[in-house]
């Protein structure tokens, strides 16, 4: 090829692919190093970036922006919350769901490390005219969409993932997720039984509430129909049991709500039926049973 020859399209695409791989590697290395400075993984750091750019998001929206499966997003948000970079807040537009937002100060913690990088990018932008920058922007935007779709395909194969469009019929939960739902439901039954002061009536309340769980349908029904593996409801007191059950109840509602809000409502309905069944085993429920029923009802309404 002489100096006047132009590279073929194939040669150009080969060079472009090579440049793209180098840019991708450089970006991963930069964000990994940046994340490590704050005890984060690369995925966690980019999730914080998404929350800072788009504002509070539901778990499903965060999954859509990142390409991660909802099962992966749940664990991701848990880690960010523990590390102080994100938090869950009530969704003012839908009381059945929650939003995830970047914690205060997260932007200030990361921003200084971008200063030198952005100075270099500004010098790079100056090398191109407006038309060229427009073309580059179009290419990068389209390329990001292609990679986003590829990420979604990969994460959809992870254990515990479910279809993006919701739909309880096709959803598969992993063992840990099933145990969360089972602990919440069977824990409520145990709490209602423990709240009754009489030994005989307590057993009858537990049986009635447990039988009510068998009426569950949909994803909730399928999970509760399975034998719980590894569930331990062995609190030495009602208070200790409540400390175990109420967090599981909130976690189950959040998990199911991220799959499909209708499934979370289904779960709420099943739990409420079980509570009512326990209360109505006596002509006059004890104050302790009524108080426990009210606490469970408040927990159902709080997520």
């Amino acid at each position: 090829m002489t100096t006047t020859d132009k590279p073929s399209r194939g040669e150009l695409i080969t060079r472009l692919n090579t440049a793209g791989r180098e840019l991708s590697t450089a970006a991963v290395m930069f964000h990994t190093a940046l994340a490590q400075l704050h005890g984060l993984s690369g995925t966690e750091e980019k999730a914080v970036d998404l929350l800072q750019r788009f504002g509070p998001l539901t778990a499903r929206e965060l999954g859509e922006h990142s390409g991660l499966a909802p099962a992966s997003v749940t664990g991701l948000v848990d880690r960010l919350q523990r590390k102080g970079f994100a938090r869950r807040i009530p969704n003012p537009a839908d009381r059945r769901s929650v939003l995830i937002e970047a914690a205060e100060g997260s932007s200030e913690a990361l921003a200084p490390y971008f200063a030198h990088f952005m100075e270099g990018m500004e010098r790079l932008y100056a090398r191109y005219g407006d038309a060229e920058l427009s073309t580059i922007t179009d290419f990068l935007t389209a390329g990001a969409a292609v990679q986003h779709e590829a990420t979604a395909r990969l994460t959809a194969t992870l254990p515990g993932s479910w279809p993006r469009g919701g739909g309880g019929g096709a959803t598969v939960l992993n063992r840990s997720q099933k145990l969360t739902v089972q602990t919440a439901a069977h824990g409520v039954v145990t709490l209602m039984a423990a709240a009754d002061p009489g030994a005989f009536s307590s057993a009858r309340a537990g049986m009635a509430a447990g039988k009510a769980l068998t009426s569950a349908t949909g994803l909730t029904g399928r999970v509760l129909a399975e034998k719980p593996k590894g569930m331990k409801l062995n609190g030495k007191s009602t208070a200790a049991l409540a400390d175990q059950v109420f967090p599981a109840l909130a976690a189950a509602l959040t998990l199911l709500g991220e799959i499909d809000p209708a499934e979370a409502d289904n779960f709420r309905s099943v739990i409420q039926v079980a509570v009512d069944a326990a209360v109505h085993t006596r002509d006059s429920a004890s104050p302790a049973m009524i108080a426990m029923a009210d606490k469970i009802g408040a927990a159902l309404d709080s997520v």
Side-chain angles (χ1 to χ4, degrees):
M1 185 177 68
T2 66
T3 55
T4 58
D5 290 334
K6 292 183 178 180
S8 67
R9 183 172 180 84
E11 291 172 327
L12 285 173
I13 291 176
T14 297
R15 295 180 188 179
L16 185 59
N17 283 334
T18 299
R21 293 177 67 177
E22 291 177 351
L23 177 60
S24 175
T25 299
V28 169
M29 294 302 180
F30 173 80
H31 286 285
T32 298
L34 177 63
Q36 289 176 345
L37 287 171
H38 294 84
L40 301 173
S41 69
T43 301
E44 291 164 354
E45 187 267 327
K46 293 308 294 181
V48 173
D49 176 59
L50 288 171
L51 294 173
Q52 291 171 347
R53 283 196 287 142
F54 294 102
L57 300 170
T58 65
R60 183 174 296 277
E61 290 170 339
L62 182 56
E64 290 171 350
H65 283 297
S66 64
L68 296 175
S72 301
V73 172
T74 300
L76 171 66
V77 175
D78 288 343
R79 295 193 302 273
L80 288 176
Q81 193 161 10
R82 287 196 302 269
K83 295 176 181 180
F85 278 84
R87 62 175 183 166
R88 290 181 172 93
I89 59 173
N91 186 348
D94 183 357
R95 65 193 296 256
R96 300 172 299 179
S97 67
V98 297
L99 295 174
I100 301 107
E101 70 172 5
E104 293 183 7
S106 60
S107 178
E108 290 77 4
L110 298 175
Y113 300 98
F114 281 95
H116 178 72
F117 169 67
M118 289 310 302
E119 289 174 1
M121 292 304 296
E122 290 291 342
R123 291 193 296 271
L124 181 60
Y125 298 154
R127 292 168 49 181
Y128 300 92
D130 291 351
E132 292 172 311
L133 289 176
S134 179
T135 300
I136 294 169
T137 300
D138 178 70
F139 175 81
L140 291 177
T141 301
V146 171
Q147 191 154 42
H148 178 91
E149 191 273 339
T151 303
R153 283 181 176 273
L154 288 174
T155 56
T157 65
L158 293 175
S161 62
W162 51 79
R164 299 234 164 226
T171 300
V172 178
L173 300 184
N174 61 33
R175 180 177 176 179
S176 176
Q177 292 166 336
K178 289 179 181 179
L179 188 60
T180 296
V181 175
Q182 292 163 342
T183 298
H186 293 291
V188 164
V189 171
T190 306
L191 276 177
M192 289 304 298
D196 194 299
F200 175 75
S201 56
S202 173
R204 188 169 60 178
M207 290 178 62
K211 185 177 180 180
L213 295 183
T214 65
S215 67
T217 59
L219 173 61
T220 297
R222 293 198 300 278
V223 172
L224 295 183
E226 296 183 16
K227 183 179 180 179
K229 297 180 180 179
M231 185 174 69
K232 297 180 180 180
L233 293 170
N234 52 3
K236 295 182 179 180
S237 66
T238 302
L241 185 61
D243 287 341
Q244 180 182 2
V245 175
F246 282 110
L249 193 60
L253 285 167
T254 300
L255 169 66
L256 295 172
E258 290 170 354
I259 299 172
D260 185 350
E263 193 58 54
D265 286 342
N266 179 30
F267 181 76
R268 284 189 183 88
S269 176
V270 169
I271 298 302
Q272 192 60 62
V273 168
V275 170
D276 291 344
V279 169
H280 289 113
T281 54
R282 298 182 58 167
D283 293 334
S284 179
S286 68
M289 284 192 73
I290 293 175
M292 183 60 70
D294 288 343
K295 290 177 182 178
I296 294 170
L300 292 175
D301 291 338
S302 66
V303 179

